[in-house]
Amino acid sequence: MDYRKLLHIPQNCVGKLINHHWSWLGIAAALPLFGMATAAAVASNAQTEPEPPEVQQVVERLALPAFEFQQSSTRYWRDEPIKRGDTIARVLNRLGIRDSDANRFLYSSPLSRDLLKLKAGATLSVQTNDAGELYGLRFLNDDENGEQVLVALENKNGVWQASADPIVAQSVETMRGLTVKRNAVAELNQLKVPADIRNQLEEIFADQFSLASLKAGDRINLVYETLLHGGSPVGSGNLLAASIRRDGRDYQAFYFAHDSESGAYYDAAGKPVKQGFSRQPVAATRISSGFGWRKHPILRTMRLHSGIDYAASSGTPIVAPADGTLAKAERQNGYGNMIEIRHNAKTTTLYAHMSAFAKGMKAGKAVKAGEVIGYVGSTGRSTGPHLHFEVKINGQAVDPATNALPTPGLSSTQLAQFQTKSSALTARLNLLGSIPTNVAMLD
Ligand SMILES: [Zn+2]
């Protein structure tokens, strides 16, 4: 997922305020002219009447109400793209904000230096007023533990406060339908189907065909979750259902959640759509925290997780789930003892918080599926023993459960639940299918 665009404070609000402000200045400048023109117009109208009475033309400066330019106390947010090498102080300087109070707080804030480091390509949102006073700033950052947080510094009644919290978002369903003309991937992009949904679609059917193989007249219908923060899309949830008509044949995939933490894709008959790795990195343990924007059970907020966590006791062996070559075996700040394995040109996996590496693990070493690479622990930024496991496809973190891990079969109870859900989604896909043109609807 690309989280760079995540924080979007409605820019048009700022634009409106600024425009409003300028139009007042415009009126102020024009007022003396209006005064003159009005007096002249009354006189000239009078001249066009038949048998004009004697008219004396008087040009007089009319008294105008005093116009005082008032410094606007309106606060507004502005978004500033973060460039390479930017610090918060440098961006504030660039925006003409010189607030010594704020600066002093920045350097004494309780947040760690890492959290206050800006990443090039992200956005820094700043709350200010016309006088260049600073009231707050916000940006998204990675807490180096696989979670995204909203870093906020705010001046509340003269007191500066700092926070780094999970991002609050709400989920809505989005439907998209496309009849391929030339290039399915480019046309999905034009329909504003997010990159991670396109990648997920590609991966679901990767064992059968690639999206690039779709031809003119083939059809794609999708239902997926869009996540909103403050009314603006901040990311995607799950691709819930996909149907593709390719060369006259129909392919379907429905997401089925095994529990609150993970799920997989099944066809209309309830059979797994994708063959994943042959095994799991830790055997017989449950996923304690799933991938993506997870709904917090109590706070009802959403938080982002770039991998999945397996609950396991310290010392539990971790195995390579597929053949590959170690890209990294090192100690990092947030991840602690970590290993990264490259499996093929596009797929890598990552293992974090290990208590120890298995013997001989170093970058460049080839490993076989099932080979022990290390042991579960709690090194780095971790609250207790667990394995944080990530899968990246072309460098993007994807849901390990739907993209790489073995897909479990459905029990009869699960199959019944699956059929209820998939038939409701099929009805929606069929609705899209009956509309002839490309649609982007029901956002
Ligand atoms: Zn994790």
Side-chain angles (χ1 to χ4, degrees), residues 277-329:
F277 292 154
S278 58
R279 59 186 79 220
Q280 308 202 45
V282 272
T285 53
R286 67 186 176 87
I287 294 174
S288 56
S289 175
F291 172 87
W293 296 80
R294 317 292 309 166
K295 204 169 235 159
H296 191 286
I298 299 158
L299 300 174
R300 292 184 180 277
T301 58
M302 309 286 284
R303 74 184 176 83
L304 189 72
H305 191 206
S306 59
I308 57 178
D309 292 344
Y310 284 100
S313 54
S314 198
T316 304
I318 302 165
V319 303
D323 295 355
T325 305
L326 297 200
K328 284 178 192 166

Side-chain angles (χ1 to χ4, degrees), residues 145-147 289 305-309 353 386-390:
N145 196 19
E147 284 197 27
S289 175
H305 191 206
S306 59
I308 57 178
D309 292 344
H353 311 310
H386 73 282
L387 170 65
H388 171 88
F389 173 63
E390 291 183 17

Side-chain angles (χ1 to χ4, degrees), residues 166-225:
I167 298 148
V168 179
Q170 73 170 135
S171 170
V172 293
E173 273 183 21
T174 300
M175 295 165 73
R176 292 281 188 269
L178 169 77
T179 300
V180 178
K181 290 199 193 82
R182 289 178 62 189
N183 178 332
V185 176
E187 287 155 23
L188 285 170
N189 188 20
Q190 280 162 17
L191 259 189
K192 298 201 162 57
V193 175
D196 36 345
I197 295 294
R198 299 200 303 270
N199 293 340
Q200 181 68 81
L201 183 66
E202 182 82 60
E203 283 307 309
I204 290 171
F205 296 109
D207 293 347
Q208 299 169 75
F209 57 86
S210 71
L211 293 181
S213 73
L214 296 183
K215 294 198 169 58
D218 287 345
R219 175 88 193 171
I220 303 172
N221 293 326
L222 307 172
V223 182
Y224 58 88
E225 295 169 324

Side-chain angles (χ1 to χ4, degrees), residues 326-353:
L326 297 200
K328 284 178 192 166
E330 60 195 36
R331 189 170 186 112
Q332 292 188 358
N333 248 350
Y335 284 141
N337 292 327
M338 62 85 76
I339 277 182
E340 194 172 22
I341 305 178
R342 176 161 289 282
H343 298 282
N344 53 44
K346 63 175 192 178
T347 312
T348 58
T349 53
L350 182 153
Y351 312 77
H353 311 310

Side-chain angles (χ1 to χ4, degrees), residues 4-11 14 76-82 86 88 91-92 94-95 97 106 118-119 121-128 133-141 150-154 160 229 232:
R4 291 171 179 177
K5 298 171 292 188
L6 289 191
L7 189 65
H8 183 85
I9 307 299
Q11 186 65 47
V14 178
Y76 49 83
W77 285 94
R78 62 183 286 190
D79 292 348
E80 181 69 10
I82 296 164
D86 267 350
I88 294 176
V91 177
L92 292 180
R94 188 156 75 230
L95 295 174
I97 295 166
L106 267 178
L118 299 179
K119 290 203 170 69
T123 299
L124 180 70
S125 298
V126 175
Q127 195 187 28
T128 181
E133 289 170 311
L134 186 67
Y135 291 98
L137 56 87
R138 294 178 187 171
F139 57 99
L140 287 178
N141 209 344
L150 179 68
V151 178
L153 300 173
E154 283 170 293
W160 280 94
H229 171 74
S232 302

Side-chain angles (χ1 to χ4, degrees), residues 65-111:
F67 183 88
E68 275 176 43
F69 176 74
Q70 283 185 329
Q71 187 82 46
S72 165
S73 60
T74 309
R75 299 173 189 184
Y76 49 83
W77 285 94
R78 62 183 286 190
D79 292 348
E80 181 69 10
I82 296 164
K83 296 173 187 156
R84 192 177 291 273
D86 267 350
T87 60
I88 294 176
R90 192 174 293 179
V91 177
L92 292 180
N93 207 25
R94 188 156 75 230
L95 295 174
I97 295 166
R98 284 180 189 81
D99 193 320
S100 50
D101 248 27
N103 266 318
R104 217 170 304 129
F105 178 72
L106 267 178
Y107 291 104
S108 63
S109 109
L111 298 179

